[in-house]
């Protein structure tokens, strides 16, 4: 059985008659070549054996991966990709028809198409300090002139750093300083598939300079220096700072126009690992479904980072629904998004004196004037169906009907261009727009005319008013900053959710963190009004919060493994909001581990977790074996011969900080080993939260430690008495002493009793 063979059920076997060249990654794992030149020569030799031309091999190659692992990417036909993999039983994914070949050639781990990844798009920090830690951010680049990257008070660049500031368009080595110590960019993979960057007719810089703002925003959340009097049009005004302002930053830019190819991402990983970063923060990923780990660039790159002691923190995605979480490999710290206790409402005052909570950026002084309301559907232009007009798109509205009025519009689909709607209303003479959007509170945007977004509950109130009032009117009030909102945190509705579709015994996401309405640095060329700071929402914003906490732990515990740091963050997380109730989803439904993982991050507690769940590469190999990894794959990944235990260790016994049993058939015993990281002798007592349909017990139920570093193993016995009918049931296990609470969520799916 090959690794993750169950995923092949979602594929179709293909023939070998394709002729179009596509961009493929040929991944070969660890290598022992003495130099980059020898790797490149060997890559060309391998490719020439298929193309029957050495010069043709050199021309076809896009990237060589020579530093942290071996491989290359090249423009190939599917037939050539199959020959390289030495396997003639390849598959296409039903979702996008991309070709995947699992290699039997002992030099090749896998051959797969370079897929496209998307970027997952102040008072969230109140403390944290750190010495010299180097954080690598893989994103859309950096705006180096931002005050958030000033290096005041920082010492020399750490001598262990091997990176560089690569010059390019509007970017030289002098744009780096003692904070921004490295900058690289990668476009070969993107251009091989999409053509020259210049063909897009959009603003960009062929360098590490950020033209989109996303990379500047995410990196400044982590390392941003203290900057006074920061706001977005007066909103969120105060002092902005990153979580670890004394940390160093090295940026890696594989993303262009909000998209990033696997090939360029893998090149960024290779350089970041070689450069000597301590942490890699990644606010991007493929759209669901998640691809199997050995055929997906982020999983591959992050595995090599884990081997080198580098923690990889990655966003879970913004895909709303169950089974959409990405970046779910067990060696990645996967982050969901939750709210903070701050909002930016712009209230809608109706003519009947009712007030509806709305959201927008309305900072221009108003005159307290009310305007007549009209639905876009009731203002259709000639020969335009009312449904089409309801979306308020170009040339759909009758200017005589909307002139001097506030127009109520709806979404045709999530992700609609709000600017197009605003332009249509403004050009028709409208004075304002109300957009019904379930993501109202997550989107803040300045516009020429007044505009707000309202949720579905508010839309119902507005509808009742407009259908009962002969001349409905409303006033859009100035946007205000409200702090101390309760309840908070709540899970953002957009945050991608579990269960993990690749290895369902691993609960994903791992953790949640602030990801709604986060104020941070921005690229001034990415917006018409040249703002230097912006407010955004997404798991892209929550991921760097966690990356900063990782940096804090790395500075306090420099010799802890990536798994130990991950455990400390997960087992100390909180599942309570600021009303002391359980965290809920932002739509008021109950939140579960597949929403928030282990809970909301608690930096202060993570510094001193009491107990940790540790694991290393060997444990990961055992885990991959439990899902069917082949000997050839494991050898090429690790660089040495590796054989799976027979029988393999059950996947649910992997020493992960959370506990999952995907396919429970009868009684199951789960084992975990904890390491004591406190001081002096102590005793921990267990507490199990009941799981519906399953009786459970812990043995031993008391753990007695005599010294720091001591390891003890416990067992949880599960006795199911009721099937789960395809869904998961949840509980938890908490170990507690006089100081610490070490909590692990539990998720089980009972297939049979």
């Amino acid at each position: 059985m090959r690794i993750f063979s169950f995923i092949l059920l979602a594929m179709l076997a293909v023939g070998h008659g394709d002729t179009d060249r596509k961009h493929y990654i040929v991944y070969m794992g660890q290598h022992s070549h003495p130099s980059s030149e020898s790797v490149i020569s060997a890559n060309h030799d391998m490719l020439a054996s298929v193309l029957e031309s050495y010069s043709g091999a050199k021309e076809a190659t896009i990237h060589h991966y020579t530093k942290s692992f071996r491989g290359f990417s090249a423009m190939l036909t599917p037939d050539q990709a199959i020959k390289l993999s030495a396997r003639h039983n390849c598959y296409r994914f039903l979702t996008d028809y991309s070709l995947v070949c699992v290699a039997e050639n002992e030099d090749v781990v896998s051959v797969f198409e370079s897929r496209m990844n998307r970027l997952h798009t102040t008072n969230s920090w109140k403390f944290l300090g750190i010495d010299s830690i180097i954080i690598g951010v893989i994103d859309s680049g950096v705006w180096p002139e931002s005050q958030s990257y000033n290096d005041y008070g920082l010492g020399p660049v750490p001598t262990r750093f091997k990176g560089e500031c690569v010059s390019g368009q509007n970017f030289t080595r002098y744009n780096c300083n003692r904070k921004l110590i490295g900058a690289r960019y990668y476009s070969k993979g993107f251009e091989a598939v999409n053509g020259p960057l210049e063909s897009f007719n959009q603003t960009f810089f062929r360098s590490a300079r950020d033209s989109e703002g996303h990379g500047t925003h995410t990196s400044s959340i982590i390392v941003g220096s203290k900057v006074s009097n920061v706001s977005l049009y007066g909103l969120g005004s105060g002092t902005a700072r990153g979580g670890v302002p004394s940390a160093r930053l090295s940026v890696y830019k594989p993303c262009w126009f909000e998209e990033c190819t696997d090939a360029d991402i893998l090149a960024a990983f290779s350089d970041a690992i070689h450069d000597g970063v301590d942490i890699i923060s990644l606010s991007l990923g493929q759209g669901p479904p998640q691809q199997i780990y050995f055929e997906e660039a982020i999983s591959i790159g992050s595995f090599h980072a884990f081997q080198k002691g580098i923690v990889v923190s990655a966003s879970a995605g913004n895909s709303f629904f169950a089974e959409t979480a990405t970046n779910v490999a067990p060696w990645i710290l996967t982050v969901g998004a939750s709210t903070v206790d701050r909002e930016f409402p712009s209230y809608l005052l109706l003519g009947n004196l009712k007030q509806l909570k709305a959201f927008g950026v309305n900072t221009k002084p108003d005159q307290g004037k009310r305007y007549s309301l009209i639905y876009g559907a009731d203002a259709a232009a000639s020969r335009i169906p009312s449904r089409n007009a309801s979306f308020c798109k170009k040339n759909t509205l009758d200017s005589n009907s909307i002139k001097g009025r506030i127009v109520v519009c709806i979404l045709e689909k999530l992700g609609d261009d709000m600017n197009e709607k605003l332009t249509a209303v403004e050009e028709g003479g409208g004075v304002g727009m109300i957009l019904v959007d379930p993501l109202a509170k997550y989107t803040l945007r300045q516009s020429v005319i007044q505009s707000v977004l309202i949720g579905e509950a508010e839309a119902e109130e507005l509808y009742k008013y407009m259908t009962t009032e002969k001349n409905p009117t409303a006033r859009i009030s100035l946007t205000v900053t409200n702090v101390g909102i309760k309840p908070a945190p709540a899970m953002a509705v957009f945050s991608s959710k579990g269960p993990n579709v690749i290895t369902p015994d691993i609960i994903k996401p791992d953790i949640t963190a602030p990801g709604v309405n986060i104020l941070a640095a921005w690229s001034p060329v990415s917006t018409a009004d040249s703002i230097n700071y912006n407010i955004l929402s997404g798991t892209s914003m929550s991921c760097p919060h966690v990356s900063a906490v990782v940096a804090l732990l790395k500075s306090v515990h420099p010799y802890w493994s990536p798994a130990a740091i991950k455990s400390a963050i997960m087992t100390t997380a909180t599942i309570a909001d600021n009303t002391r109730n359980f965290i809920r989803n932002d739509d008021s439904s109950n939140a579960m581990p597949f929403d928030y993982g282990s809970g909301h991050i608690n930096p202060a507690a993570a510094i001193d977790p009491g107990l940790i769940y540790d694991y290393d590469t060997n444990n990961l190999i055992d885990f991959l074996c439990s899902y069917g990894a082949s000997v050839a794959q494991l050898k090429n990944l690790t660089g040495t011969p590796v054989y799976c235990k027979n029988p393999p260790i059950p996947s649910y016994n992997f020493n992960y900080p959370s506990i999952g049993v995907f396919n429970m058939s009868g009684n199951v015993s789960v084992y975990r080993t904890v390491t004591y990281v406190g001081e002096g002798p102590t005793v921990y007592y267990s507490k199990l939260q009941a799981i519906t349909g399953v009786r459970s017990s812990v043995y031993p139920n008391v753990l007695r430690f005599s010294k720091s570093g001591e390891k003890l193993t416990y067992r949880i016995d599960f006795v199911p008495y009721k099937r789960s009918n395809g869904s998961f049931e949840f509980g938890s296990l908490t170990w507690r002493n006089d100081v610490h609470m070490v909590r692990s969520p539990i998720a089980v799916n009972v297939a049979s009793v």
Side-chain angles (χ1 to χ4, degrees):
M1 179 186 294
R2 295 199 169 272
I3 187 165
F4 313 123
S5 56
F6 62 86
I7 202 71
L8 300 183
L9 296 174
M11 306 177 185
L12 287 176
V14 297
H16 301 156
D18 303 68
T19 57
D20 294 335
R21 293 202 314 163
K22 296 182 179 180
H23 192 189
Y24 287 90
I25 294 172
V26 181
Y27 168 58
M28 290 175 273
Q30 299 278 27
H31 70 83
S32 56
H33 287 267
S35 65
S36 293
E37 290 74 19
S38 64
V39 173
I40 292 172
S41 177
N43 288 349
H44 284 151
D45 287 341
M46 175 179 284
L47 188 54
S49 70
V50 171
L51 301 185
E52 300 180 352
S53 165
Y54 194 83
S55 61
K58 294 177 69 174
E59 181 181 347
T61 305
I62 304 298
H63 282 298
H64 289 283
Y65 308 119
T66 66
K67 297 175 181 177
S68 307
F69 41 83
R70 182 187 169 192
F72 61 89
S73 71
M75 299 300 293
L76 304 169
T77 67
D79 277 347
Q80 292 164 345
I82 291 167
K83 289 177 182 178
L84 275 171
S85 70
R87 178 187 172 101
H88 293 272
N89 186 17
C90 296
Y91 301 87
R92 286 196 190 280
F93 281 97
L94 284 172
T95 50
D96 64 358
Y97 298 99
S98 60
L99 182 72
V100 173
C101 299
V102 181
E104 290 174 350
N105 182 331
E106 66 176 15
D107 290 327
V108 177
V109 175
S110 57
V111 180
F112 54 97
E113 287 180 35
S114 175
R115 297 160 62 89
M116 200 64 72
N117 297 259
R118 292 190 63 83
L119 300 170
H120 289 153
T121 342
T122 57
N123 78 329
S124 54
W125 294 111
K126 294 185 178 176
F127 57 93
L128 305 184
I130 197 170
D131 292 322
S132 183
I133 295 291
I134 303 170
I135 300 172
V137 174
I138 299 177
D139 211 295
S140 66
V142 64
W143 191 262
E145 290 82 8
S146 172
Q147 283 300 302
S148 289
Y149 303 111
N150 81 73
D151 62 356
Y152 178 77
L154 292 179
V157 174
T159 56
R160 62 186 173 85
F161 182 64
K162 301 177 184 177
E164 58 181 300
C165 276
V166 177
S167 295
Q169 183 182 4
N170 288 26
F171 197 100
T172 72
R173 63 186 180 90
Y174 297 106
N175 286 116
C176 288
N177 57 20
R178 291 170 297 177
K179 176 181 285 292
L180 177 59
I181 63 175
R184 301 178 185 268
Y185 66 100
Y186 315 84
S187 62
K188 291 181 180 179
F190 184 91
E191 292 182 285
V193 175
N194 300 294
L197 298 174
E198 290 78 8
S199 66
F200 283 77
N201 296 318
Q202 297 183 41
T203 300
F204 75 93
F205 300 99
R206 192 177 285 276
S207 69
R209 183 174 290 277
D210 183 11
S211 60
E212 300 173 34
H214 192 274
T216 301
H217 200 274
T218 57
S219 61
S220 68
I221 292 172
I222 309 173
V223 304
S225 300
K226 188 176 180 179
V227 183
S228 301
N229 301 317
V230 168
S231 69
L232 174 65
Y233 308 114
L235 301 178
S237 182
T239 298
R241 58 171 295 186
V244 283
S246 61
R248 315 305 176 108
L249 171 67
S250 185
V251 300
Y252 304 86
K253 177 185 174 181
C255 301
W256 308 87
F257 316 121
E258 299 186 356
E259 294 191 332
C260 337
T261 66
D262 273 351
D264 290 338
I265 291 171
L266 206 54
F269 263 108
S270 180
D271 279 339
I273 295 168
H274 171 268
D275 291 348
V277 303
D278 300 297
I279 299 150
I280 294 176
S281 186
L282 200 77
S283 289
L284 55 91
Q286 293 180 352
Q290 163 86 40
Q291 306 304 308
I292 59 178
Y293 302 145
F294 282 105
E295 295 159 4
E296 193 266 322
I298 293 174
S299 299
I300 292 169
S302 58
F303 182 89
H304 288 276
F306 181 93
Q307 283 187 304
K308 299 295 184 181
I310 300 168
V311 181
V312 177
S313 170
S315 49
N318 306 323
S319 296
F320 295 85
F321 304 115
E323 299 185 334
T324 62
T326 57
N327 300 325
V328 296
W331 49 86
I332 297 175
L333 182 51
T334 311
V335 187
S338 40
T339 65
V340 295
D341 64 347
R342 181 179 64 182
E343 288 183 343
F344 302 100
S346 184
Y347 289 97
L348 186 63
L349 306 176
L350 305 182
N352 62 1
L353 302 183
K354 280 193 175 182
Q355 179 174 273
L356 303 181
K357 182 182 280 190
F359 297 91
V361 180
N362 297 290
T363 57
K364 298 176 183 178
D366 64 9
Q367 306 300 318
K369 186 175 180 180
R370 299 183 185 276
Y371 294 95
S372 177
L373 292 168
I374 187 171
Y375 278 106
D378 295 331
S382 177
R383 299 183 179 179
I384 299 296
S386 60
R387 173 174 168 76
N388 291 14
S390 68
F391 306 133
C392 299
K393 294 195 172 183
K394 187 176 181 180
N395 299 325
T396 64
L397 299 173
D398 175 52
S399 57
N400 291 327
S401 300
I402 68 172
K403 187 175 182 179
R405 301 173 111 177
I406 296 174
V407 184
V408 182
C409 309
I410 64 173
L411 294 176
E412 183 175 15
K413 62 182 183 302
L414 285 174
D416 265 4
D417 186 351
M418 184 177 174
N419 286 331
E420 180 186 6
K421 300 177 189 295
L422 284 165
T423 299
V425 172
E426 181 194 4
E427 290 181 349
V431 296
M433 183 182 79
I434 300 169
L435 179 62
V436 181
D437 186 346
L439 301 182
K441 69 185 300 179
Y442 307 126
T443 306
L444 294 177
R445 192 180 309 235
Q446 175 82 315
S447 58
V448 176
I449 59 174
Q450 288 189 319
S451 64
V452 290
L453 283 71
I454 60 174
E456 294 175 355
E458 289 76 18
E460 289 182 11
E461 285 293 321
L462 180 62
Y463 176 78
K464 291 177 184 176
Y465 168 64
M466 291 182 65
T467 53
T468 57
E469 183 70 28
K470 185 176 182 181
N471 182 27
T473 62
R475 170 191 163 200
I476 297 174
S477 66
L478 292 177
T479 305
V480 296
T481 302
N482 287 345
V483 179
I485 299 298
K486 293 183 179 182
M491 290 306 301
V493 295
F494 58 76
S495 186
S496 290
K497 300 164 179 58
N500 184 335
V501 298
I502 304 300
T503 48
D505 292 307
I506 302 297
I507 297 174
K508 290 288 179 168
D510 293 307
I511 198 77
T512 187
V516 174
N517 292 336
I518 306 300
L519 177 64
W522 193 246
S523 169
V525 301
S526 65
T527 52
D529 41 5
S530 301
I531 56 176
N532 294 308
Y533 287 82
N534 201 359
I535 294 174
L536 296 182
S537 298
T539 54
S540 282
M541 286 67 249
S542 56
C543 170
H545 279 83
V546 173
S547 301
V549 176
V550 171
L552 172 66
L553 267 64
K554 192 78 174 177
S555 69
V556 177
H557 305 288
Y559 301 109
W560 278 12
S561 69
I565 290 174
K566 181 175 184 176
S567 173
I569 289 173
M570 291 173 62
T571 60
T572 59
T574 179
I575 58 170
D577 61 27
N578 57 5
T579 67
R580 299 186 179 181
N581 292 309
F582 290 124
I583 293 173
R584 300 177 69 83
N585 292 313
D586 211 14
D587 61 4
S588 296
S589 62
N590 293 327
M592 298 296 178
F594 291 157
D595 301 306
Y596 54 59
S598 293
H600 195 269
I601 195 164
N602 185 345
I607 294 173
D608 180 23
L611 304 175
I612 57 171
Y613 295 82
D614 208 355
Y615 54 89
D616 58 18
T617 303
N618 292 328
N619 302 128
L620 284 172
I621 295 302
D622 288 340
F623 175 76
L624 294 172
C625 285
S626 73
Y627 276 91
S630 70
V631 173
Q633 286 175 317
L634 297 177
K635 177 184 176 182
N636 282 289
L637 187 63
T638 63
T640 57
V642 176
Y643 297 93
C644 292
K645 296 179 175 65
N646 189 17
I649 297 172
S651 55
Y652 49 73
N653 282 337
F654 176 56
N655 204 45
Y656 209 66
S658 58
I659 299 168
V661 183
F662 165 61
N663 190 16
M664 184 179 289
S665 299
N667 298 353
V668 170
S669 293
V670 173
Y671 293 85
R672 289 291 188 272
T673 298
V674 289
T675 304
Y676 176 48
V677 292
E679 296 182 2
T682 190
V683 179
Y684 278 85
Y685 300 90
S686 66
K687 181 179 181 181
L688 269 172
Q689 177 191 355
I691 304 169
T692 301
V694 180
R695 287 184 287 270
S696 53
S697 58
V698 184
Y699 181 83
N701 60 4
V702 176
L703 298 177
R704 302 180 187 276
F705 297 94
S706 59
K707 60 182 179 179
S708 182
E710 185 177 357
K711 297 177 183 290
L712 291 176
T713 297
Y714 66 86
R715 183 185 79 229
I716 308 179
D717 294 327
F718 295 107
V719 180
Y721 59 87
K722 181 181 179 182
R723 290 184 59 186
S724 300
N725 294 321
S727 62
F728 280 80
E729 301 294 343
F730 302 102
S732 65
L733 169 64
T734 302
W735 290 99
R736 183 192 307 256
N737 68 358
D738 293 337
V739 178
H740 305 97
M741 286 202 320
V742 184
R743 182 181 179 277
S744 295
I746 300 174
V748 300
N749 176 276
V750 179
S752 61
V753 298

